[in-house]
Structure formats: C-alpha cells, structure tokens
Amino acid sequence: MARILVVDDEVGIRELLSEILYDEGHTVELAENAAQARAARLRSRPDLVLLDIWMPDTDGVSLLKEWGSQGLLDMPVIMMSGHATIDTAVEATRIGALDFLEKPITLQRLLKTISAALSRGRAPQPAPTAASLAAVPLEDELDAPAAPAHSVEAPAGSNGLLGSISLDQPLREARDAFERIYFEYHLVRESHSMTRVSEKTGLERTHLYRKLKQLGIESARKRST
C-alpha cells in the first residue's frame, strides 16, 4: 500500500484514478491545481505523484521544476497529459519525472507504471539551496506539533491508545495502526453515523467505506446510520 497524490484539474479524471487506486489498496489524496498539490506534498509526503501537465494556474512541468529546485522531488513523479508533445514529455523526464502517461490511460498501463515507480522507492533528498529555504517556510517542512494529551480520547472499550503503537515497526504499519485508532475514535464519537464521520474526516462516503474495509473495520458499515 502506498500514499499516492493525484493532481489533475479534471474532476472526472481525479475520481476515476482515485477509485482505481483505492481498489488496489492505496491511500489517495487529490488536488485540482498546483496550490493544492504544494500543500498536499508538504502535509502528507506522498510515496508517488500522478501529475497532470496542463492545469489552469501552474502547469505540471513548472511545478515539477519548482519541487526540484526546492529539494522536494524525493518521490517518483509520473506525468499525465492528453495533449503534450514528445518534447514536453522529454523535458519533464529530464527535469525529474520518472515516466509519462498519455491520456486516455489504460488500466494495465497505469498499474504497471505505478508498480514500477513504487518499486524504485524514494530518491535521496538533496540538500536545499539558499533560494529554496527562502521560498519554503521552515515550519512547513517540520512535522506538526504533537496534540496535547487531553485532546485524544480512545474509543470506549477499545485498546486503541496512541501509546500502543510501536515505533519499531515499519512506517506504513504504524500509519495503519494510527488510522485504525483515528477512525474507530470518530465512529464511536459520532455513534457510527457514516454521514457525520464522513464530514469529520473529510472523506467522501464511498472512500470512507473503502478505507474502513482496508483497515479491517468491517462492522462499522453494518452499524452505520
């Protein structure tokens, strides 16, 4: 399972890719423009980015250059476009993109390209330059401060305490353990109302159901209102 950021200004493309990637067991975050992509990149540090070339504010190639100049291009980036020329694809690859997908994207091609990209893992992050430090506030690259102890309550009758998460396990397993605690907490707090849990967590109901199933919280759907 990987955390994948999909950046595309077409809502239909975002939803389609999101459904496919959720079905494959990945965690997906969506962005419709460069501004949202920048925020998502700093917030969640995706394992892979699917980046559209043609977007209304900042195009994908420019965003790719920006990440590269700021030392933020440490994850595989796969460019997407239905109108790009060969020269554009070559330029994107030269800048740092791992691969290029031409729209409409076939399912087989999409999954094969993502699998190959994830198998390569993260690239070492280069030291930021003076210009990049000036462009990116230092606090944006730091982890958010831990919430006060009184702000987290474990679900009644559960063992889902944050302190029970072993920090010796792989990051993805620790992340899954945290997400189980997170969703169980909100399910109990909202009396298993999927509508309210969806609003609290910011996930659409379809994606929420998939996430709960992925985490093994099967009973939540049966008890939802």
Side-chain angles (χ1 to χ4, degrees), residues 148-199:
H150 64 269
S151 68
V152 178
E153 300 175 7
S158 77
N159 294 322
L161 296 172
L162 292 178
S164 68
I165 300 177
S166 171
L167 300 183
D168 293 325
Q169 61 184 322
L171 173 60
R172 289 175 182 172
E173 294 179 14
R175 181 187 297 161
D176 286 347
F178 169 77
E179 289 184 345
R180 289 189 192 96
I181 294 172
Y182 174 81
F183 286 107
E184 287 173 356
Y185 166 77
H186 283 290
L187 284 166
V188 171
R189 186 174 184 179
E190 303 301 332
S191 301
H192 293 86
S193 167
M194 299 303 283
T195 298
R196 292 198 296 271
V197 172
S198 175
E199 293 174 351

Side-chain angles (χ1 to χ4, degrees), residues 68-71 126-135:
S69 68
Q70 295 176 354
T129 63
S132 68
L133 288 175

Side-chain angles (χ1 to χ4, degrees), residues 196-209:
R196 292 198 296 271
V197 172
S198 175
E199 293 174 351
K200 289 290 185 180
T201 60
L203 293 178
E204 296 179 0
R205 286 175 65 98
T206 301
H207 295 166
L208 178 59
Y209 284 131

Side-chain angles (χ1 to χ4, degrees), residues 60-215:
V61 173
S62 296
L63 182 59
L64 188 71
K65 288 180 180 178
E66 177 184 312
W67 280 343
S69 68
Q70 295 176 354
L72 299 178
L73 201 57
D74 64 337
M75 68 289 180
V77 176
I78 298 172
M79 307 301 292
M80 306 180 296
S81 179
H83 309 286
T85 64
I86 295 297
D87 289 342
T88 304
V90 170
E91 181 186 6
T93 303
R94 181 183 58 79
I95 295 170
L98 183 63
D99 209 333
F100 173 82
L101 292 174
E102 185 176 1
K103 298 177 183 178
I105 305 169
T106 65
L107 178 61
Q108 182 179 9
R109 169 71 168 149
L110 173 68
L111 298 181
K112 182 178 180 181
T113 303
I114 288 176
S115 177
L118 291 175
S119 68
R120 296 187 56 167
R122 287 185 175 276
Q125 186 170 4
T129 63
S132 68
L133 288 175
V136 182
L138 180 60
E139 59 269 23
D140 287 345
E141 284 284 48
L142 299 178
D143 292 334
H150 64 269
S151 68
V152 178
E153 300 175 7
S158 77
N159 294 322
L161 296 172
L162 292 178
S164 68
I165 300 177
S166 171
L167 300 183
D168 293 325
Q169 61 184 322
L171 173 60
R172 289 175 182 172
E173 294 179 14
R175 181 187 297 161
D176 286 347
F178 169 77
E179 289 184 345
R180 289 189 192 96
I181 294 172
Y182 174 81
F183 286 107
E184 287 173 356
Y185 166 77
H186 283 290
L187 284 166
V188 171
R189 186 174 184 179
E190 303 301 332
S191 301
H192 293 86
S193 167
M194 299 303 283
T195 298
R196 292 198 296 271
V197 172
S198 175
E199 293 174 351
K200 289 290 185 180
T201 60
L203 293 178
E204 296 179 0
R205 286 175 65 98
T206 301
H207 295 166
L208 178 59
Y209 284 131
R210 292 183 184 279
K211 171 58 70 175
L212 296 178
K213 182 177 180 180
Q214 176 185 319
L215 295 172

Side-chain angles (χ1 to χ4, degrees), residues 4-16:
I4 299 177
L5 171 61
V6 177
V7 187
D8 198 299
D9 63 318
E10 297 183 50
V11 62
I13 297 294
R14 293 198 306 272
E15 291 180 350
L16 176 61

